[in-house]
């Protein structure tokens, strides 16, 4: 009644305060779901105030996208929507939303603020901007029942990718970038994330923290990535995700490779235009890792880069991206997520370590020499955990295995990546076992 304007209420600070009060208890307690449907239908029945009735339909629209009523009530609820569809545009939408919720399952959280504000502005279509590594972005329609896996498939199809395998949605909020689990409803995940951050960052002077977010679509798992197999993926994602890691100096690279890669980076930026050649010594940090650039003078680098550039006359920007990737693809650290950590448990390794998580497993790297000190395949990792300031991993058995404790603020990312790679490995192993089992049964 407060939401519909039938009952006086104090001004609420958040758009979702009233909708939370209506839907949260029903999500926690199943018997209340029928009660919510009954009360909402009662409120719109013979309501003489058009503004109040309109608000009631807004709540029904939100409700049908969150949870369904029981089978005992279903016939009556459907009948209400059908009987009102000729005079109330939202009735037909409520009917289809309810059917979809029955099909795909109910949500875990009340409506997100984006959903509430959308229906309050009389729109049932929600378009969400998604950002890509090549600095482009596009808007995609997302509804209350869109799961992350479905969202990824839609994005991949629009961009002309051959598959969405290995890709993930990421939500950037405050200083964190967190991957959306593929089985989660998109709005549920964002809601969960904002609620978690609200608790972690208490209000200052009564002001709520700024929890605006951005959605990114990027390659997460590189297990099946083959350069040249999907040109669109190489051009939009692989090149732009690998370039910053290369320039940060995480890979072991020779001077000759550095010259070739710098020439290709130049070609991606400027094409065949040679007018920027004189500026190469000044832009070295954008072409070569800082530690590698110290191996010779800026003018020597310029000569080597120009010579390498001239060998590939006529190569397009896209071809240059793929050539860049083909060189890095040969390295054992290709497709890695890198983490700079401090370790305190292994005396044979330096205190400062570079950890690379990739399809081979967890690699410990000397950050100075770039030598790989150890590689732990996923099959050897028995346990792992993380906190705000650490990441912990057990290699081998829990009793006799060795332990690695790292100091890092990115433990949550390492934890998530390890979980995802191991989950993919187990899924792949199960798929390979099934045909073998079937063959055995046939025999």
């Amino acid at each position: 009644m407060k939401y519909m304007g039938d009952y006086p209420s104090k001004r609420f600070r958040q758009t979702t305060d009233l909708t939370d009060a209506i839907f949260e208890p029903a999500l926690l307690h199943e018997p209340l779901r029928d009660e919510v449907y009954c009360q909402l239908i009662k409120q719109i029945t013979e309501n003489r105030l058009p503004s109040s009735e309109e608000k009631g339909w807004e709540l029904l629209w939100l409700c049908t996208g969150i949870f369904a009523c029981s089978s005992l009530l279903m016939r009556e609820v459907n009948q209400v929507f059908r009987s009102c569809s000729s005079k109330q545009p939202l009735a037909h939408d409520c009917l289809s939303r309810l059917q979809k919720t029955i099909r795909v399952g109910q949500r875990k959280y009340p409506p997100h603020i984006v959903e509430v504000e959308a229906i309050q502005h009389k729109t049932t279509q929600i378009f969400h901007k998604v950002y890509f590594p090549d600095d482009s972005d596009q808007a995609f329609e997302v509804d209350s029942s869109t799961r992350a896996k479905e969202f990824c498939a839609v994005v991949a199809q629009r961009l002309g990718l051959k598959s969405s395998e290995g890709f993930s949605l990421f939500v950037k909020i405050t200083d964190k970038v967190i991957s959306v689990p593929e089985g989660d409803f998109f709005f549920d995940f964002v809601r969960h994330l904002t609620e978690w951050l609200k608790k972690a960052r208490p209000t200052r002077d009564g002001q709520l923290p700024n929890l605006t977010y951005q959605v990114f679509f990027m390659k997460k798992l590189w297990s099946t990535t083959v350069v040249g197999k999907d040109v669109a993926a190489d051009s939009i994602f692989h090149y732009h995700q690998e370039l910053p890691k290369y320039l940060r100096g995480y890979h072991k690279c020779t001077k000759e490779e550095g010259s070739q890669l710098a020439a290709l980076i130049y070609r991606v930026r400027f094409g065949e235009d040679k007018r920027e050649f004189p500026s190469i010594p000044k832009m070295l940090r954008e072409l070569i890792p800082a530690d590698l650039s110290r191996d010779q003078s800026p003018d020597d680098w310029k000569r080597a880069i120009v010579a390498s550039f001239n060998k590939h006359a006529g190569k397009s920007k896209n071809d240059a991206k793929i050539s860049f990737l083909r060189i890095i693809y040969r390295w054992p650290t290709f497709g890695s997520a890198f983490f700079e950590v401090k370790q305190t448990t292994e005396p044979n390794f330096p205190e400062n370590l570079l950890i690379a998580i990739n399809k081979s497993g967890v690699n410990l790297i000397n950050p100075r020499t770039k030598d790989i000190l150890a590689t732990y395949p996923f099959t050897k990792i028995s346990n792992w955990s993380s906190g705000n300031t650490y990441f912990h991993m057990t290699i081998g058995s829990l009793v006799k295995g060795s332990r690695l404790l790292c100091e890092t603020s990115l433990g949550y990312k390492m934890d998530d990546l390890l979980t995802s790679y191991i989950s993919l490995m187990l899924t792949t192993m199960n798929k390979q076992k099934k045909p073998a089992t079937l063959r055995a049964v046939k025999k």
Side-chain angles (χ1 to χ4, degrees), residues 19-55:
T19 51
D20 284 359
I22 295 165
F23 299 117
E24 203 160 19
L27 282 166
L28 294 170
H29 307 286
E30 190 177 350
L32 290 178
R33 291 167 206 166
D34 279 2
E35 185 68 19
V36 169
Y37 271 95
C38 288
Q39 291 292 346
L40 290 176
I41 289 169
K42 180 184 174 186
Q43 288 296 104
I44 60 164
T45 304
E46 295 180 9
N47 191 328
R48 294 193 179 97
L49 280 174
S51 61
S52 171
E53 185 184 356
E54 198 63 37
K55 288 281 187 185

Side-chain angles (χ1 to χ4, degrees), residues 130-146:
V130 178
Y131 296 88
F132 307 115
D134 66 348
D135 288 334
S136 66
D137 61 75
Q138 291 192 40
F140 294 84
E141 187 175 355
V142 56
D143 63 33
S144 301
S145 57
T146 300

Side-chain angles (χ1 to χ4, degrees), residues 364-429:
L364 309 187
I365 298 172
N366 184 319
R368 188 176 56 81
T369 64
K370 310 296 186 305
D371 290 327
I372 297 175
L373 306 171
T375 298
Y376 302 117
F378 297 121
T379 50
K380 301 291 184 187
I381 299 166
S382 54
N383 191 33
W384 64 95
S385 60
S386 64
N388 290 333
T389 58
Y390 74 90
F391 174 77
H392 174 264
M393 183 175 77
T394 304
I395 302 101
S397 72
L398 290 170
V399 179
K400 294 181 179 178
S402 59
R403 290 172 173 79
L404 184 72
L405 180 62
C406 303
E407 187 183 315
T408 173
S409 61
L410 297 175
Y412 71 96
K413 274 191 174 182
M414 298 172 75
D415 193 325
D416 173 58
L417 203 54
L418 199 50
T419 302
S420 297
Y421 265 116
I422 288 176
S423 175
L424 179 65
M425 177 190 73
L426 294 173
T427 303
T428 306
M429 284 167 63

Side-chain angles (χ1 to χ4, degrees), residues 69 88 126 158 174 293 315 378:
C69 58
Q88 173 51 252
I126 302 169
R158 171 98 62 90
T174 63
S293 70
K315 192 185 283 277
F378 297 121

Side-chain angles (χ1 to χ4, degrees), residues 251-288:
H251 300 282
K252 188 166 189 175
C253 175
T254 65
K255 279 197 295 185
E256 291 72 28
E257 289 171 323
S259 302
Q260 292 173 46
L261 292 167
L264 292 165
I265 295 166
Y266 180 98
R267 191 176 286 279
V268 171
R269 284 185 64 183
F270 304 110
E272 284 288 321
D273 190 348
K274 298 181 179 182
R275 287 175 295 179
E276 296 297 326
F277 279 178
S279 304
I280 284 176
K282 292 179 182 176
M283 65 167 83
L284 273 184
R285 65 174 61 187
E286 298 163 47
L287 302 173
I288 293 168

Side-chain angles (χ1 to χ4, degrees), residues 116-335:
V116 178
E117 289 182 345
I119 195 61
Q120 287 179 346
H121 288 96
K122 307 290 182 273
T123 177
T124 56
Q125 282 186 299
I126 302 169
F127 288 91
H128 215 297
K129 191 176 276 191
V130 178
Y131 296 88
F132 307 115
D134 66 348
D135 288 334
S136 66
D137 61 75
Q138 291 192 40
F140 294 84
E141 187 175 355
V142 56
D143 63 33
S144 301
S145 57
T146 300
R147 292 188 191 268
K149 187 174 185 178
E150 180 190 347
F151 201 156
C152 286
V154 170
V155 175
Q157 186 177 19
R158 171 98 62 90
L159 296 178
L161 305 183
K162 291 189 175 177
S163 169
S164 60
E165 186 184 350
F167 287 90
S168 179
L169 292 169
F170 292 83
V171 175
K172 183 181 181 184
I173 187 165
T174 63
D175 58 345
K176 294 187 181 293
V177 180
I178 300 178
S179 170
V180 187
E182 64 174 25
D184 279 20
F185 289 110
F186 174 73
F187 282 124
D188 261 358
F189 179 80
V190 178
R191 182 70 200 259
H192 168 67
L193 198 56
T194 49
E195 293 301 318
W196 172 64
L197 283 168
K198 273 184 199 173
K199 289 172 186 171
R201 298 170 185 233
T203 56
R204 290 181 182 175
D205 305 322
Q207 293 292 314
L208 288 164
N210 180 17
L211 295 176
T212 54
Y213 66 92
Q214 289 176 303
V215 179
F216 290 83
F217 182 75
M218 295 184 287
K219 189 58 152 302
K220 179 183 180 182
L221 305 178
W222 300 68
S223 298
T224 58
T225 305
V226 177
V227 174
K229 190 178 177 183
D230 187 342
V231 175
D234 286 337
S235 178
I236 303 168
F237 298 94
H238 303 152
Y239 173 80
H240 293 282
Q241 286 185 237
E242 286 297 286
L243 176 61
K245 292 182 273 188
Y246 166 68
L247 291 176
R248 286 187 195 117
Y250 290 149
H251 300 282
K252 188 166 189 175
C253 175
T254 65
K255 279 197 295 185
E256 291 72 28
E257 289 171 323
S259 302
Q260 292 173 46
L261 292 167
L264 292 165
I265 295 166
Y266 180 98
R267 191 176 286 279
V268 171
R269 284 185 64 183
F270 304 110
E272 284 288 321
D273 190 348
K274 298 181 179 182
R275 287 175 295 179
E276 296 297 326
F277 279 178
S279 304
I280 284 176
K282 292 179 182 176
M283 65 167 83
L284 273 184
R285 65 174 61 187
E286 298 163 47
L287 302 173
I288 293 168
D291 57 344
L292 186 64
S293 70
R294 292 192 284 270
D295 284 4
Q296 58 186 13
S297 72
D299 284 334
D300 286 340
W301 275 117
K302 179 192 163 188
R303 278 190 287 274
I305 293 166
V306 169
S308 183
F309 180 92
N310 288 331
K311 285 179 185 175
H312 303 286
K315 192 185 283 277
S316 72
K317 290 185 177 185
N318 260 357
D319 288 342
K321 287 180 179 181
I322 292 168
S323 296
F324 173 94
L325 290 168
R326 286 194 193 282
I327 294 170
I328 292 186
Y329 186 68
R330 301 196 295 257
W331 301 344
T333 44
F334 169 79

